[in-house]
Amino acid sequence: MTLQHTPRPQWLTFDCYGTLIQWDEGLQAVFAEILQRKNAPQIDAATLIALHDRHEHTLEQTPPHRSFREVSGMALQRALAELGLRGDAEDAHRLTDRIGRMPPFPEVVAALQQLKARGFRLCIISNTDDDIIAGNVAQLGGAIDRVITAQQGGAYKPSRQLFDYAHAQLQVAKEDVVHICASPHLDHAAARDIGFRCVWIDRGRRSPLPDYTPDATLPTLAGVPALFDALDW
């Protein structure tokens, strides 16, 4: 635990989907619905998810910057085309509507409220649009002080640009931030490069980066208040 003997942060920043919100579970359900709508029972939802993720990540890093709603819809259409299926506007709407309604993990609201009660300020940094994430934030018990999105920052993780934008918006030193996230690929490299301390919520679904070790690793968000208590934060 390398957080020991480091200063108490003012801000805790969080990745949203997969860290606070049940992303994998939500995608599995909505892609299964889309495939059912296409009458394609021979295709597993996981196959469509993998193709969609690949196209989504490519589009997010390809100029010009597009809204997440547009990126997600384009990625879905391309993924369906690879499987010999035709996508339409209803598919894209179904996906982005479901994202905004995905619920938090069971322990998240209580953990956020405990951290808020300890005097930390809480911010989400997320690869999404303001209107999509609003539905998720509304489920977090009023604990979130600030939401910073790719729409605001004009860039998507893993680009450092979004983290630099967030850092500028928070108006604190990097030592005043601890980033808490579940996605090594999207968050760890940028947190490392900008100098944020980082807690990895390892839910057993993502592999770590080969060249980076987070400052602490926990299986769920429930362990964060106890970790900080041990640090006398």
Side-chain angles (χ1 to χ4, degrees):
M1 182 195 306
T2 56
L3 290 172
Q4 197 167 11
H5 307 306
T6 63
R8 173 189 163 102
Q10 295 182 38
W11 282 91
L12 306 178
T13 58
F14 298 85
D15 172 50
C16 183
Y17 301 108
T19 303
L20 306 179
I21 297 296
Q22 297 183 53
W23 174 251
D24 292 333
E25 296 83 352
L27 283 190
Q28 179 71 30
V30 70
F31 280 121
E33 290 177 10
I34 289 170
L35 290 169
Q36 184 178 32
R37 182 172 180 262
K38 302 295 181 187
N39 193 26
Q42 74 281 6
I43 300 173
D44 184 71
T47 300
L48 181 56
I49 290 171
L51 291 174
H52 176 268
D53 283 354
R54 175 163 56 81
H55 287 296
E56 181 183 275
H57 293 320
T58 298
L59 287 164
E60 285 175 346
Q61 305 306 319
T62 303
H65 180 79
R66 302 173 176 87
S67 71
F68 180 77
R69 192 175 295 277
E70 183 179 1
V71 164
S72 188
M74 290 174 65
L76 178 56
Q77 187 171 41
R78 293 180 184 184
L80 289 169
E82 278 198 52
L83 296 171
L85 301 173
R86 184 179 180 84
D88 57 36
E90 171 58 26
D91 298 322
H93 176 75
R94 185 181 295 259
L95 173 56
T96 53
D97 180 65
R98 177 62 64 85
I99 291 171
R101 293 187 289 113
M102 290 177 182
F105 287 99
E107 84 284 0
V108 162
V109 172
L112 292 177
Q113 290 176 341
Q114 290 177 55
L115 293 168
K116 183 78 171 176
R118 285 161 167 76
F120 295 106
R121 303 191 71 188
L122 311 183
C123 173
I124 290 174
I125 304 174
S126 182
N127 273 1
T128 191
D129 297 340
D130 294 350
D131 64 330
I132 293 175
I133 200 172
N136 308 112
V137 175
Q139 302 178 67
L140 298 178
I144 302 300
D145 296 293
R146 185 74 188 266
V147 178
I148 294 173
T149 64
Q151 180 182 8
Q152 298 169 31
Y156 290 96
K157 307 172 193 177
S159 168
R160 177 175 162 169
Q161 181 179 331
L162 182 55
F163 279 84
D164 283 330
Y165 174 82
H167 187 204
Q169 292 297 305
L170 297 181
Q171 297 184 324
V172 294
K174 64 184 180 182
E175 294 81 9
D176 291 320
V177 177
V178 168
H179 188 59
I180 301 170
C181 61
S183 175
H185 171 67
L186 294 180
D187 288 73
H188 282 179
R192 173 198 66 201
D193 294 346
I194 200 171
F196 288 165
R197 290 167 288 170
C198 186
V199 175
W200 181 24
I201 305 302
D202 180 10
R203 298 188 184 273
R205 303 173 184 181
R206 305 288 187 270
S207 299
L209 297 182
D211 61 345
Y212 175 72
T213 301
D215 297 285
T217 301
L218 298 167
T220 73
L221 208 72
V224 175
L227 169 67
F228 288 0
D229 282 347
L231 297 167
D232 197 25
W233 285 359

